[in-house]
Amino acid sequence: MTNEKTKKMIVAGTVGAVLLLVTLLAIMIYQMVAIQKKKADIARWEKATVELQQLIEDGEKTVEIRSMRDWIEREARRLNLVYPEK
């Protein structure tokens, strides 16, 4: 092997190693961004789940309150309804 051929092999090896490093670095950065996006999505869905559970609990309380006799009678009076005469 000549001196020139050895230099070409070293340069080719160095270029290959640098390209491999750049490719792996790009893949790593892409994966990190994807992981952060997924974490943000999970946090957003967990927050939405908590809000919906709170709405369900509030709705159940509203149903309980509105099915009480006092509330029904108050609303009936507000609408000018009366009990039928016997």
Side-chain angles (χ1 to χ4, degrees):
M1 256 206 238
T2 65
N3 195 14
E4 188 175 313
K5 194 170 184 178
T6 304
K7 284 184 182 181
K8 284 184 182 181
M9 291 294 286
I10 292 172
V11 169
T14 304
V15 169
V18 169
L19 287 176
L20 178 64
L21 182 64
V22 168
T23 303
L24 292 176
L25 188 61
I27 290 171
M28 186 176 73
I29 290 171
Y30 174 79
Q31 289 296 320
M32 289 173 62
V33 169
I35 289 169
Q36 291 301 319
K37 185 177 182 305
K38 185 62 93 172
K39 284 182 181 179
D41 288 345
I42 289 171
R44 186 170 39 100
W45 285 110
E46 287 176 351
K47 182 180 176 185
T49 301
V50 168
E51 289 175 2
L52 289 174
Q53 287 174 346
Q54 186 63 39
L55 285 174
I56 289 170
E57 290 173 7
D58 292 346
E60 289 172 354
K61 290 176 187 175
T62 302
V63 168
E64 288 176 15
I65 290 171
R66 289 187 179 179
S67 61
M68 298 172 95
R69 183 180 177 102
D70 293 340
W71 189 87
I72 293 171
E73 288 178 352
R74 187 174 352 114
E75 287 298 305
R77 278 189 227 107
R78 186 178 65 82
L79 296 171
N80 296 324
L81 300 174
V82 293
Y83 283 112
E85 303 272 335
K86 290 185 181 182

Coordinates of all heavy atoms in Angstrom, one line a residue:
M1 N 0.8 -1.2 0.0 CA 0.0 0.0 0.0 C 0.9 1.2 0.0 O 1.8 1.3 0.7 CB -0.9 0.0 1.3 CG -2.3 -0.4 1.0 SD -3.3 0.4 2.2 CE -4.1 -1.0 2.9
T2 N 0.4 2.1 -0.8 CA 1.2 3.4 -0.8 C 0.7 4.3 0.2 O -0.3 4.1 0.8 CB 1.0 4.0 -2.2 OG1 -0.3 4.4 -2.4 CG2 1.5 3.1 -3.4
N3 N 1.5 5.4 0.4 CA 1.2 6.4 1.4 C -0.1 7.1 1.1 O -0.9 7.4 1.9 CB 2.4 7.3 1.5 CG 2.3 8.2 2.7 OD1 1.6 7.9 3.6 ND2 3.1 9.3 2.7
E4 N -0.3 7.3 -0.2 CA -1.5 8.1 -0.7 C -2.8 7.2 -0.4 O -3.8 7.7 0.0 CB -1.4 8.4 -2.2 CG -2.5 9.3 -2.7 CD -2.2 9.7 -4.1 OE1 -1.1 10.1 -4.5 OE2 -3.2 9.6 -4.9
K5 N -2.7 5.9 -0.7 CA -3.8 5.0 -0.5 C -4.1 4.9 1.0 O -5.3 4.9 1.4 CB -3.5 3.6 -1.0 CG -4.7 2.7 -1.2 CD -4.3 1.5 -2.0 CE -5.5 0.7 -2.2 NZ -5.3 -0.5 -2.9
T6 N -3.1 4.9 1.9 CA -3.4 4.9 3.3 C -4.1 6.2 3.8 O -5.0 6.1 4.6 CB -2.0 4.8 4.1 OG1 -1.3 3.6 3.6 CG2 -2.2 4.6 5.5
K7 N -3.7 7.3 3.2 CA -4.4 8.6 3.6 C -5.8 8.5 3.2 O -6.7 9.0 3.9 CB -3.7 9.8 2.9 CG -2.4 10.1 3.6 CD -1.8 11.4 2.9 CE -0.5 11.8 3.6 NZ 0.1 13.0 2.9
K8 N -6.1 8.0 2.0 CA -7.5 7.9 1.5 C -8.3 7.0 2.4 O -9.5 7.3 2.6 CB -7.5 7.4 0.0 CG -7.1 8.4 -1.0 CD -7.2 7.9 -2.4 CE -6.8 8.9 -3.4 NZ -6.9 8.4 -4.8
M9 N -7.7 5.9 2.8 CA -8.5 5.0 3.7 C -8.8 5.7 5.1 O -9.9 5.5 5.6 CB -7.6 3.7 4.0 CG -7.5 2.8 2.7 SD -9.1 2.1 2.2 CE -9.2 0.9 3.5
I10 N -7.8 6.4 5.6 CA -8.0 7.1 6.9 C -9.1 8.2 6.7 O -10.0 8.3 7.5 CB -6.7 7.7 7.4 CG1 -5.7 6.6 7.8 CG2 -6.9 8.7 8.5 CD1 -4.3 7.1 8.1
V11 N -9.0 9.0 5.6 CA -10.0 10.0 5.3 C -11.4 9.4 5.2 O -12.4 9.9 5.7 CB -9.7 10.8 4.1 CG1 -10.8 11.7 3.7 CG2 -8.4 11.7 4.4
A12 N -11.5 8.3 4.4 CA -12.8 7.6 4.2 C -13.3 7.1 5.5 O -14.5 7.2 5.8 CB -12.6 6.5 3.2
G13 N -12.5 6.5 6.4 CA -12.9 6.0 7.7 C -13.4 7.1 8.6 O -14.4 7.0 9.3
T14 N -12.7 8.3 8.5 CA -13.1 9.4 9.3 C -14.4 10.0 8.9 O -15.3 10.3 9.7 CB -12.0 10.5 9.3 OG1 -10.7 9.9 9.7 CG2 -12.3 11.7 10.1
V15 N -14.6 10.1 7.6 CA -15.8 10.6 7.0 C -17.0 9.7 7.4 O -18.1 10.1 7.8 CB -15.7 10.8 5.5 CG1 -17.1 11.1 4.9 CG2 -14.8 11.9 5.1
G16 N -16.8 8.4 7.3 CA -17.8 7.4 7.6 C -18.2 7.5 9.1 O -19.4 7.5 9.4
A17 N -17.2 7.7 9.9 CA -17.4 7.8 11.4 C -18.2 9.1 11.7 O -19.1 9.1 12.5 CB -16.1 7.7 12.2
V18 N -17.8 10.2 11.1 CA -18.5 11.4 11.3 C -20.0 11.4 10.8 O -20.9 11.8 11.5 CB -17.7 12.6 10.6 CG1 -18.6 13.9 10.6 CG2 -16.4 12.8 11.3
L19 N -20.2 10.8 9.6 CA -21.6 10.6 9.1 C -22.4 9.7 10.0 O -23.6 10.0 10.3 CB -21.5 10.0 7.7 CG -21.1 11.0 6.6 CD1 -21.0 10.2 5.3 CD2 -22.0 12.2 6.5
L20 N -21.8 8.7 10.5 CA -22.5 7.8 11.5 C -22.9 8.6 12.7 O -24.0 8.5 13.3 CB -21.7 6.6 11.8 CG -22.3 5.6 12.8 CD1 -23.5 5.0 12.2 CD2 -21.3 4.5 13.2
L21 N -21.9 9.3 13.3 CA -22.1 10.1 14.5 C -23.2 11.1 14.3 O -24.1 11.3 15.1 CB -20.8 10.8 14.9 CG -20.9 11.6 16.2 CD1 -21.2 10.7 17.3 CD2 -19.6 12.4 16.3
V22 N -23.2 11.8 13.1 CA -24.2 12.8 12.8 C -25.6 12.2 12.7 O -26.6 12.7 13.2 CB -23.9 13.6 11.5 CG1 -25.0 14.5 11.0 CG2 -22.7 14.5 11.8
T23 N -25.7 11.0 12.0 CA -26.9 10.3 11.9 C -27.5 9.9 13.2 O -28.7 10.1 13.5 CB -26.7 9.1 10.9 OG1 -26.2 9.5 9.7 CG2 -28.1 8.4 10.7
L24 N -26.6 9.3 14.0 CA -27.1 8.9 15.4 C -27.5 10.0 16.2 O -28.5 9.9 17.0 CB -26.0 8.1 16.0 CG -25.7 6.7 15.4 CD1 -24.5 6.1 16.1 CD2 -26.9 5.8 15.5
L25 N -26.8 11.1 16.1 CA -27.2 12.3 16.9 C -28.5 12.9 16.4 O -29.4 13.3 17.3 CB -26.1 13.4 16.7 CG -26.2 14.7 17.6 CD1 -26.2 14.3 19.0 CD2 -25.1 15.6 17.2
A26 N -28.8 12.9 15.1 CA -30.1 13.3 14.6 C -31.2 12.4 15.1 O -32.3 12.9 15.5 CB -30.0 13.4 13.1
I27 N -31.0 11.1 15.1 CA -32.0 10.2 15.6 C -32.2 10.4 17.0 O -33.4 10.4 17.5 CB -31.6 8.7 15.3 CG1 -31.6 8.5 13.8 CG2 -32.4 7.7 16.0 CD1 -31.0 7.2 13.4
M28 N -31.2 10.6 17.8 CA -31.3 10.8 19.3 C -32.1 12.1 19.5 O -33.0 12.1 20.4 CB -30.0 10.9 19.9 CG -30.0 11.0 21.4 SD -28.4 11.0 22.2 CE -27.9 12.6 21.8
I29 N -31.9 13.2 18.8 CA -32.6 14.4 19.0 C -34.1 14.3 18.7 O -34.9 14.7 19.4 CB -31.9 15.6 18.2 CG1 -30.6 15.9 18.8 CG2 -32.8 16.8 18.1 CD1 -29.7 16.9 18.0
Y30 N -34.3 13.6 17.5 CA -35.7 13.3 17.1 C -36.4 12.5 18.2 O -37.6 12.9 18.5 CB -35.7 12.6 15.8 CG -37.1 12.1 15.4 CD1 -38.0 13.0 14.8 CD2 -37.5 10.8 15.6 CE1 -39.3 12.7 14.5 CE2 -38.8 10.4 15.3 CZ -39.7 11.3 14.7 OH -40.9 11.0 14.4
Q31 N -35.8 11.5 18.8 CA -36.4 10.7 19.8 C -36.7 11.5 21.1 O -37.8 11.4 21.7 CB -35.6 9.5 20.1 CG -35.5 8.5 19.1 CD -36.9 7.8 18.8 OE1 -37.6 7.6 19.7 NE2 -37.2 7.6 17.5
M32 N -35.8 12.4 21.4 CA -36.0 13.2 22.6 C -37.2 14.2 22.4 O -38.0 14.4 23.3 CB -34.7 14.0 22.9 CG -33.6 13.2 23.5 SD -32.0 14.0 23.6 CE -32.4 15.3 24.8
V33 N -37.3 14.7 21.2 CA -38.5 15.6 20.9 C -39.8 14.8 21.0 O -40.8 15.3 21.5 CB -38.3 16.3 19.6 CG1 -39.5 17.0 19.1 CG2 -37.1 17.3 19.6
A34 N -39.7 13.6 20.4 CA -40.9 12.8 20.4 C -41.3 12.4 21.8 O -42.5 12.4 22.1 CB -40.7 11.5 19.6
I35 N -40.4 12.1 22.7 CA -40.7 11.8 24.1 C -41.3 13.0 24.8 O -42.3 12.8 25.5 CB -39.4 11.3 24.8 CG1 -39.0 9.9 24.2 CG2 -39.6 11.2 26.3 CD1 -37.7 9.4 24.7
Q36 N -40.7 14.1 24.6 CA -41.3 15.3 25.2 C -42.7 15.6 24.8 O -43.6 16.0 25.6 CB -40.4 16.5 25.0 CG -39.0 16.5 25.7 CD -39.1 16.4 27.2 OE1 -40.0 17.0 27.8 NE2 -38.3 15.5 27.8
K37 N -42.9 15.4 23.5 CA -44.3 15.7 23.0 C -45.3 14.7 23.6 O -46.4 15.0 24.0 CB -44.3 15.5 21.4 CG -45.6 15.9 20.8 CD -45.5 15.8 19.3 CE -46.8 16.1 18.6 NZ -48.0 15.4 19.1
K38 N -44.8 13.4 23.7 CA -45.7 12.4 24.3 C -46.0 12.7 25.7 O -47.1 12.5 26.2 CB -45.1 11.0 24.1 CG -45.9 9.9 24.6 CD -47.2 9.7 23.8 CE -47.0 8.8 22.7 NZ -48.2 8.5 22.0
K39 N -45.0 13.2 26.5 CA -45.2 13.5 27.9 C -46.2 14.7 28.0 O -47.1 14.7 28.9 CB -43.9 13.9 28.5 CG -43.0 12.7 28.9 CD -41.8 13.2 29.6 CE -40.8 12.0 29.9 NZ -39.6 12.5 30.6
A40 N -46.1 15.6 27.1 CA -47.0 16.8 27.1 C -48.4 16.3 26.8 O -49.4 16.8 27.4 CB -46.6 17.8 26.1
D41 N -48.6 15.4 25.9 CA -49.9 14.8 25.5 C -50.5 14.1 26.7 O -51.7 14.3 27.0 CB -49.8 13.9 24.3 CG -49.6 14.6 23.0 OD1 -49.8 15.9 23.0 OD2 -49.2 14.0 22.0
I42 N -49.7 13.3 27.4 CA -50.1 12.6 28.6 C -50.6 13.5 29.7 O -51.6 13.3 30.3 CB -49.0 11.6 29.1 CG1 -48.9 10.5 28.1 CG2 -49.4 11.0 30.4 CD1 -47.7 9.6 28.3
A43 N -49.8 14.6 29.9 CA -50.2 15.5 30.9 C -51.5 16.2 30.6 O -52.3 16.4 31.4 CB -49.1 16.6 31.1
R44 N -51.6 16.6 29.3 CA -52.9 17.2 28.9 C -54.1 16.3 29.0 O -55.1 16.7 29.5 CB -52.7 17.6 27.4 CG -53.9 18.4 26.9 CD -53.6 19.0 25.5 NE -52.9 18.1 24.6 CZ -53.4 17.4 23.7 NH1 -54.7 17.5 23.4 NH2 -52.7 16.6 22.9
W45 N -53.9 15.0 28.7 CA -55.0 14.1 28.8 C -55.4 13.8 30.3 O -56.5 13.7 30.7 CB -54.7 12.8 28.1 CG -54.8 12.9 26.6 CD1 -53.9 12.9 25.7 CD2 -56.1 13.0 25.9 NE1 -54.4 13.0 24.5 CE2 -55.7 13.1 24.5 CE3 -57.4 13.1 26.3 CZ2 -56.7 13.3 23.5 CZ3 -58.3 13.3 25.2 CH2 -57.9 13.4 23.9
E46 N -54.3 13.8 31.2 CA -54.6 13.6 32.6 C -55.4 14.8 33.2 O -56.3 14.6 34.0 CB -53.3 13.4 33.3 CG -52.7 12.0 33.1 CD -51.3 11.8 33.8 OE1 -50.8 12.8 34.3 OE2 -50.8 10.7 33.8
K47 N -55.0 16.0 32.7 CA -55.7 17.2 33.2 C -57.1 17.2 32.7 O -58.1 17.5 33.5 CB -55.0 18.4 32.7 CG -55.6 19.7 33.1 CD -54.8 20.9 32.6 CE -55.5 22.2 33.0 NZ -54.9 23.4 32.4
A48 N -57.4 16.8 31.5 CA -58.7 16.7 31.0 C -59.5 15.6 31.7 O -60.7 15.8 32.0 CB -58.7 16.4 29.5
T49 N -58.9 14.5 32.1 CA -59.6 13.5 32.8 C -60.0 14.0 34.1 O -61.2 13.7 34.6 CB -58.7 12.3 32.9 OG1 -58.3 11.8 31.6 CG2 -59.3 11.1 33.7
V50 N -59.2 14.7 34.8 CA -59.5 15.2 36.2 C -60.7 16.2 36.0 O -61.6 16.2 36.8 CB -58.3 15.9 36.8 CG1 -58.7 16.7 38.0 CG2 -57.2 14.8 37.2
E51 N -60.6 17.1 35.0 CA -61.7 18.0 34.8 C -63.0 17.3 34.5 O -64.1 17.7 35.1 CB -61.3 19.0 33.7 CG -60.2 19.9 34.0 CD -59.8 20.8 32.8 OE1 -60.4 20.6 31.7 OE2 -58.9 21.6 33.0
L52 N -63.0 16.3 33.7 CA -64.2 15.6 33.4 C -64.8 14.8 34.6 O -66.0 14.8 34.8 CB -64.0 14.6 32.2 CG -63.8 15.3 30.9 CD1 -63.4 14.2 29.8 CD2 -65.0 16.0 30.5
Q53 N -63.9 14.3 35.4 CA -64.3 13.6 36.7 C -65.0 14.6 37.6 O -66.0 14.3 38.2 CB -63.2 12.9 37.3 CG -62.7 11.7 36.6 CD -61.5 11.1 37.3 OE1 -60.8 11.7 38.0 NE2 -61.1 9.8 36.9
Q54 N -64.4 15.8 37.7 CA -65.0 16.8 38.5 C -66.4 17.2 38.0 O -67.4 17.4 38.8 CB -64.1 18.1 38.6 CG -64.6 19.1 39.5 CD -64.6 18.7 40.9 OE1 -63.7 18.0 41.4 NE2 -65.6 19.1 41.7
L55 N -66.6 17.3 36.7 CA -67.9 17.7 36.1 C -68.9 16.6 36.4 O -70.1 16.8 36.6 CB -67.7 17.9 34.6 CG -67.1 19.2 34.1 CD1 -66.9 19.1 32.6 CD2 -67.9 20.3 34.5
I56 N -68.4 15.3 36.3 CA -69.4 14.2 36.6 C -69.8 14.3 38.1 O -71.0 14.1 38.4 CB -68.7 12.8 36.3 CG1 -68.5 12.7 34.8 CG2 -69.5 11.7 36.9 CD1 -67.6 11.5 34.4
E57 N -68.9 14.5 39.0 CA -69.3 14.6 40.4 C -70.2 15.8 40.6 O -71.2 15.7 41.4 CB -68.0 14.8 41.3 CG -67.2 13.6 41.3 CD -65.8 13.8 42.1 OE1 -65.7 14.9 42.6 OE2 -65.0 12.9 42.1
D58 N -69.9 16.9 40.0 CA -70.8 18.1 40.1 C -72.2 17.8 39.5 O -73.2 18.2 40.1 CB -70.2 19.3 39.4 CG -69.0 19.8 40.1 OD1 -68.7 19.4 41.3 OD2 -68.3 20.6 39.5
G59 N -72.2 17.1 38.4 CA -73.5 16.7 37.8 C -74.3 15.8 38.7 O -75.5 15.9 38.9
E60 N -73.6 14.8 39.4 CA -74.3 13.9 40.3 C -74.9 14.7 41.5 O -76.0 14.5 42.0 CB -73.4 12.9 40.8 CG -73.0 11.8 39.8 CD -71.9 10.9 40.2 OE1 -71.3 11.1 41.3 OE2 -71.6 10.0 39.5
K61 N -74.2 15.7 42.0 CA -74.7 16.5 43.1 C -75.9 17.3 42.6 O -76.8 17.5 43.4 CB -73.6 17.5 43.6 CG -72.4 16.8 44.3 CD -71.4 17.8 44.7 CE -70.1 17.1 45.3 NZ -69.0 18.0 45.5
T62 N -75.8 17.9 41.4 CA -76.9 18.6 40.9 C -78.2 17.8 40.8 O -79.3 18.2 41.1 CB -76.6 19.2 39.5 OG1 -75.4 20.0 39.7 CG2 -77.7 20.0 38.9
V63 N -78.0 16.5 40.3 CA -79.2 15.6 40.2 C -79.8 15.3 41.6 O -81.0 15.3 41.7 CB -78.7 14.3 39.5 CG1 -79.8 13.3 39.6 CG2 -78.4 14.6 38.0
E64 N -78.9 15.1 42.6 CA -79.4 14.9 43.9 C -80.2 16.1 44.4 O -81.2 15.9 45.0 CB -78.2 14.6 44.8 CG -77.6 13.2 44.6 CD -76.4 13.0 45.5 OE1 -76.2 13.7 46.5 OE2 -75.6 12.0 45.2
I65 N -79.6 17.2 44.2 CA -80.3 18.5 44.8 C -81.6 18.7 44.1 O -82.6 19.0 44.7 CB -79.4 19.7 44.6 CG1 -78.2 19.6 45.5 CG2 -80.1 21.0 44.8 CD1 -77.1 20.6 45.3
R66 N -81.6 18.5 42.8 CA -82.8 18.8 42.0 C -83.9 17.7 42.2 O -85.1 17.9 41.8 CB -82.5 19.0 40.5 CG -81.8 20.3 40.3 CD -81.6 20.6 38.9 NE -80.9 21.9 38.8 CZ -80.5 22.4 37.7 NH1 -80.8 21.8 36.5 NH2 -79.9 23.6 37.7
S67 N -83.6 16.6 42.7 CA -84.6 15.6 42.9 C -85.2 15.7 44.3 O -86.1 14.9 44.7 CB -84.0 14.2 42.7 OG -82.9 13.9 43.6
M68 N -84.7 16.6 45.1 CA -85.2 16.8 46.5 C -86.6 17.6 46.4 O -86.8 18.4 45.5 CB -84.2 17.6 47.3 CG -82.9 16.9 47.5 SD -81.7 18.0 48.4 CE -82.0 17.5 50.0
R69 N -87.5 17.2 47.2 CA -88.8 17.8 47.2 C -88.8 19.3 47.4 O -89.6 20.0 46.6 CB -89.7 17.1 48.3 CG -91.1 17.6 48.3 CD -91.9 16.9 49.4 NE -93.2 17.4 49.4 CZ -94.3 16.8 48.9 NH1 -94.1 15.6 48.4 NH2 -95.5 17.3 49.0
D70 N -88.0 19.8 48.2 CA -87.9 21.3 48.4 C -87.6 22.0 47.2 O -88.2 23.0 46.8 CB -86.9 21.7 49.5 CG -87.4 21.2 50.9 OD1 -88.5 20.9 51.1 OD2 -86.5 21.1 51.8
W71 N -86.6 21.5 46.5 CA -86.2 22.2 45.2 C -87.3 22.1 44.2 O -87.5 23.1 43.5 CB -84.9 21.5 44.7 CG -84.3 22.3 43.6 CD1 -83.4 23.3 43.7 CD2 -84.6 22.1 42.2 NE1 -83.1 23.8 42.4 CE2 -83.8 23.1 41.5 CE3 -85.4 21.3 41.4 CZ2 -83.8 23.2 40.1 CZ3 -85.4 21.4 40.1 CH2 -84.6 22.4 39.4
I72 N -87.9 21.0 44.1 CA -89.0 20.8 43.1 C -90.1 21.8 43.4 O -90.7 22.4 42.5 CB -89.5 19.3 43.1 CG1 -88.4 18.4 42.5 CG2 -90.7 19.2 42.2 CD1 -88.6 17.0 42.7
E73 N -90.5 21.9 44.7 CA -91.6 22.8 45.0 C -91.2 24.2 44.8 O -92.0 25.0 44.3 CB -92.0 22.6 46.5 CG -92.7 21.3 46.7 CD -93.0 21.0 48.2 OE1 -92.6 21.8 49.1 OE2 -93.8 20.1 48.5
R74 N -90.0 24.6 45.1 CA -89.5 26.0 44.9 C -89.6 26.3 43.4 O -90.1 27.4 43.0 CB -88.1 26.2 45.4 CG -87.6 27.6 45.3 CD -86.3 27.8 46.0 NE -85.7 26.7 46.7 CZ -84.6 26.1 46.4 NH1 -83.9 26.4 45.3 NH2 -84.1 25.0 47.1
E75 N -89.1 25.4 42.5 CA -89.2 25.6 41.1 C -90.6 25.7 40.6 O -90.9 26.5 39.7 CB -88.4 24.6 40.4 CG -86.9 24.7 40.5 CD -86.4 26.0 39.9 OE1 -86.6 26.3 38.8 OE2 -85.7 26.7 40.7
A76 N -91.5 24.9 41.2 CA -92.9 24.9 40.8 C -93.5 26.2 41.1 O -94.2 26.8 40.3 CB -93.6 23.7 41.4
R77 N -93.2 26.7 42.3 CA -93.7 28.0 42.7 C -93.2 29.1 41.8 O -93.9 30.1 41.4 CB -93.4 28.4 44.2 CG -94.3 27.7 45.1 CD -94.1 28.2 46.6 NE -94.0 27.1 47.4 CZ -93.0 26.5 48.0 NH1 -91.8 27.1 47.9 NH2 -93.0 25.5 48.8
R78 N -91.9 29.0 41.4 CA -91.4 30.0 40.6 C -92.1 30.0 39.2 O -92.2 31.1 38.6 CB -89.9 29.7 40.4 CG -89.1 30.8 39.6 CD -87.6 30.5 39.4 NE -87.4 29.3 38.6 CZ -87.3 29.3 37.3 NH1 -87.6 30.3 36.6 NH2 -87.1 28.1 36.7
L79 N -92.5 28.9 38.8 CA -93.2 28.8 37.5 C -94.8 29.0 37.6 O -95.5 28.8 36.7 CB -93.0 27.4 36.8 CG -91.5 27.2 36.5 CD1 -91.3 25.7 36.1 CD2 -91.1 28.1 35.4
N80 N -95.2 29.4 38.9 CA -96.6 29.6 39.2 C -97.4 28.4 39.0 O -98.6 28.4 38.6 CB -97.2 30.7 38.3 CG -96.5 32.1 38.6 OD1 -96.2 32.3 39.8 ND2 -96.4 32.9 37.6
L81 N -96.9 27.2 39.4 CA -97.6 26.0 39.4 C -98.1 25.7 40.8 O -97.4 26.1 41.8 CB -96.7 24.8 38.9 CG -96.2 24.9 37.5 CD1 -95.2 23.8 37.2 CD2 -97.3 25.0 36.5
V82 N -99.2 25.1 40.9 CA -99.8 24.7 42.3 C -100.2 23.3 42.3 O -100.4 22.7 41.2 CB -101.0 25.6 42.6 CG1 -100.5 27.1 42.8 CG2 -102.1 25.5 41.6
Y83 N -100.3 22.7 43.5 CA -100.8 21.4 43.6 C -102.3 21.3 43.2 O -103.0 22.3 43.5 CB -100.7 20.9 45.1 CG -99.3 20.5 45.5 CD1 -98.6 21.3 46.4 CD2 -98.7 19.4 45.0 CE1 -97.3 20.9 46.8 CE2 -97.4 19.0 45.4 CZ -96.7 19.8 46.3 OH -95.5 19.5 46.7
P84 N -102.7 20.3 42.6 CA -104.1 20.2 42.2 C -105.0 20.0 43.4 O -104.6 19.4 44.4 CB -104.2 18.9 41.3 CG -102.9 18.1 41.6 CD -101.9 19.1 42.1
E85 N -106.1 20.6 43.4 CA -107.1 20.6 44.5 C -107.7 19.2 44.5 O -108.0 18.6 43.4 CB -108.2 21.6 44.3 CG -107.7 23.0 44.2 CD -107.5 23.7 45.6 OE1 -108.2 23.3 46.5 OE2 -106.7 24.6 45.7
K86 N -107.9 18.6 45.7 CA -108.5 17.3 45.8 C -110.0 17.4 45.9 O -110.6 18.2 46.4 CB -107.9 16.5 46.9 CG -106.5 16.2 46.7 CD -106.0 15.3 47.8 CE -104.5 14.9 47.6 NZ -104.0 14.1 48.7

